Amino acid sequence: DFGFKEDPSLNKCIRDDESEADPNKIPTTCVSGGYYNRTKGYRKVPGDTCTDGNDFLYEPERKLCPVEDGAEFILVAELHRISRLDLNSETPELMEIPLLNVHNVVALDYHYANHCLYWQDTNEEKIYRHCTHPDKSNEVIAESNMKSVEGLVLDWVSNNIYFSDRERSVIEMLKTDSTVGQLRRTILNSTYIEKPRGIALHPLKGYLFIADWSQTKPSVSRSYLDGSHFEILFDSSFVTWPNGVTVDLTADKIYWTDAKKDYIASADLDGKNIKYIISDTKLVPHPFAVVVYKDWIYYDDWNKEAIVMANKHDGSGMNTLTATSGRAMDMKVFASGLQKGSGPCSGPLNGNCTHFCVPYPDGSHVCLCPDWSIKTKLSNGSEICSCPDGNFMLPNGTCIDNGTSIACKNDEFKCSNNKCIPKTKMCDGANDCGDYSDEGRQCDSTCDSGKFQCKNGHCIHSTFVCDFDDDCGDMSDEQNCNYPNCTANQFKCRDGRCIRAEYVCDFDDDCHDGSDEANCT
């Protein structure tokens, strides 16, 4: 293609530095929120067809057009799609962002400066990132061991992502800029939370806020960004079904919704000076997510199936902006002046931490390690990270086995370029290594030990077989299964899986097929 040339030694097309053509240039016809095709250096010969081949290795990549500078908008997770609502439009409506393979999105966030969208797909048990920068492609930044992620928030100052998993009763921290593998750290577990849903943070103040839907002890709580100094701000005497929680970064206040008591309220960051902004069953019959921008709150309501705005001080000026396609889930608001500021973990130095840098409210910070590493605790609360076998750990989470070569972890595949990727990404049709070595000849053979070979040829972990999820993509991993019988304290879903009885008719699709929310009154 234009801007490329053939390299006979590599038998592939590479960039032609002498060419004046720029294949990565974004087309002038690119409309914000739309798509364009970026070449990989190849053009199909007119009239030729490819059957059961590797044409995906050569076809153009679909890229999102960049968001224009100064835009003010809300992103909405609508399960089967992610939509954008422009706040300056005279006729506001939800416009679908044309992302591929979106199945069940509940939580999302966006990095305004980097034009990167983050979301979690519950069906896939993965967290995705899609950046509109021409050199970036759609990628999986975390996968596996995610059962029911319902909250996700980006710390744009420290480049960490936080997500809540309701079914596992945990909140984890994830590094966004790890070049190899995924770096994860559990910061809160069932000792503190039971059914975490919405989460929000104040990166400049160093606080994390959690809405917990616990059946016995619901709460809105606060902790430091490493999970320490956990405290309950509002217990069951104030909340019953706390859904969304957000931070007003300009006024240093939190806002949250309660879908059982039917109100939207605000308070100071320490829980003082609580104020009920809207408290009327007719006005907020089932509020879910809430965001704040300037003098307004914006929230989605499941009963109204709409996005509504109102004055953030007293709830006046209420106005329905647009209808949603069913029950909308998470919402986040974005503008050029919101994600501003810096802290001790800002910039390439990362607070001189090797892995996680976490700011504290007093302006200090701690350095933390990923879960699986060996941790040596220092007197200031920071940690020194090392590999389980004693080898030196690199900042990207990999280990050096002899001082020069990379030693990937047992559950990782070593690419030809020495990059380590999860073995689950092998032979999935995506160029995860960057040199296609994860999509090579080994994909034509049988699966490795401990893997299950799907009928379509894909390899998945054997633990994914008969887990009620279509991990293969052709349902071959869910055939001829002997599923266990549900106990007296469990509810049997339509697909056969068992969930806790108290999860029935709680407005959550715990079964992932809607059967636990059918016939509810």
Side-chain angles (χ1 to χ4, degrees), residues 122-125 146-147 167 460 463-479 481 483 495 497 510-512:
T122 303
N123 284 14
E124 302 293 330
E125 294 189 14
M146 297 180 193
K147 298 301 182 183
E167 191 169 328
I460 64 171
T463 56
F464 292 172
V465 178
C466 295
D467 66 349
F468 300 98
D469 291 321
D470 181 16
D471 301 285
C472 284
D474 61 4
M475 289 300 295
S476 57
D477 57 312
E478 298 301 316
Q479 296 177 0
C481 296
Y483 296 121
D495 63 4
R497 81 174 71 202
D510 302 280
C511 286
H512 304 300

Side-chain angles (χ1 to χ4, degrees), residues 44 88 100 108 150 182 184 211 216 255 257 273 325 399 410 427 434 475:
K44 182 179 289 186
N88 294 323
L100 299 176
L108 54 75
E150 297 197 359
Q182 53 180 327
R184 291 164 62 171
T216 58
Y255 287 74
T257 66
N273 298 317
S325 60
C399 304
N410 291 334
C427 306
M475 289 300 295

Side-chain angles (χ1 to χ4, degrees), residues 48-188:
D48 282 5
T49 58
C50 184
T51 303
D52 297 329
N54 292 330
D55 52 328
F56 64 89
L57 298 175
Y58 311 102
E59 291 178 341
E61 294 179 284
R62 297 192 74 193
K63 302 291 295 180
L64 277 172
C65 298
V67 174
E68 65 273 15
D69 294 333
E72 300 173 328
F73 58 94
I74 293 174
L75 293 180
V76 184
E78 297 188 274
L79 296 179
H80 62 285
R81 69 178 193 175
I82 297 175
S83 302
R84 168 176 161 164
L85 178 68
D86 287 317
L87 296 180
N88 294 323
S89 174
E90 295 182 358
T91 56
E93 61 177 323
L94 287 171
M95 302 296 293
E96 181 179 356
I97 296 177
L99 296 165
L100 299 176
N101 301 318
V102 172
H103 302 291
N104 192 21
V105 179
V106 175
L108 54 75
D109 211 332
Y110 181 77
H111 196 296
Y112 195 91
N114 294 345
H115 303 296
C116 291
L117 173 63
Y118 298 86
W119 73 94
Q120 199 277 346
D121 196 307
T122 303
N123 284 14
E124 302 293 330
E125 294 189 14
K126 296 177 181 179
I127 294 178
Y128 292 90
R129 170 171 57 194
H130 191 113
C131 301
T132 55
H133 188 282
D135 290 330
K136 300 292 183 181
S137 59
N138 196 36
E139 55 187 322
V140 176
I141 63 171
E143 61 182 329
S144 72
N145 201 23
M146 297 180 193
K147 298 301 182 183
S148 183
V149 173
E150 297 197 359
L152 184 150
V153 63
L154 168 71
D155 178 354
W156 69 89
V157 176
S158 306
N159 286 322
N160 298 323
I161 278 183
Y162 296 80
F163 64 91
S164 61
D165 193 319
R166 175 177 51 82
E167 191 169 328
R168 293 169 51 232
S169 300
V170 299
I171 293 178
E172 291 190 50
M173 178 171 56
L174 169 70
K175 198 70 181 171
T176 65
D177 55 0
S178 174
T179 57
V180 180
Q182 53 180 327
L183 299 181
R184 291 164 62 171
R185 166 85 175 223
T186 300
I187 63 168
L188 288 171

Side-chain angles (χ1 to χ4, degrees), residues 100 271 310 357 381 520:
L100 299 176
C357 179
C520 296

Side-chain angles (χ1 to χ4, degrees), residues 22 24 80 84 97 114-115 148 155 177 210 213 226 244 254-255 282 312 348 350 381 384 444 464 469 474 480 496 505:
D22 182 6
N24 286 337
H80 62 285
R84 168 176 161 164
I97 296 177
N114 294 345
H115 303 296
S148 183
D155 178 354
D177 55 0
I210 307 108
W213 246 56
D226 62 351
I254 61 169
Y255 287 74
K282 295 181 180 179
K312 72 177 184 180
N350 192 40
I384 297 177
D444 298 327
F464 292 172
D469 291 321
D474 61 4
N480 304 316
C505 295

Side-chain angles (χ1 to χ4, degrees), residues 199-307:
I199 56 175
L201 57 80
H202 198 315
L204 303 180
K205 297 291 185 180
Y207 291 121
L208 173 70
F209 299 90
I210 307 108
D212 190 342
W213 246 56
S214 167
Q215 299 290 324
T216 58
K217 49 181 181 179
S219 66
V220 174
S221 56
R222 183 184 80 170
S223 75
Y224 285 10
L225 294 182
D226 62 351
S228 65
H229 300 81
F230 178 87
E231 59 179 321
I232 293 177
L233 300 181
F234 302 100
D235 58 18
S236 58
S237 61
F238 290 92
V239 298
T240 304
W241 288 353
N243 277 332
V245 60
T246 191
V247 176
D248 186 343
L249 298 172
T250 58
D252 288 338
K253 288 184 175 293
I254 61 169
Y255 287 74
W256 71 94
T257 66
D258 192 304
K260 181 66 173 180
K261 296 189 173 183
D262 301 329
Y263 72 77
I264 300 175
S266 70
D268 296 339
L269 298 182
D270 58 3
K272 296 179 180 179
N273 298 317
I274 182 174
K275 183 177 183 181
Y276 293 93
I277 309 302
I278 307 173
S279 183
D280 189 321
T281 301
K282 295 181 180 179
L283 297 178
V284 281
H286 197 105
F288 197 82
V290 61
V291 296
V292 183
Y293 183 53
K294 296 183 178 179
D295 287 329
W296 302 93
I297 56 172
Y298 302 83
Y299 63 94
D300 54 19
D301 191 288
W302 279 13
N303 285 16
K304 292 185 175 182
E305 295 191 351
I307 295 178

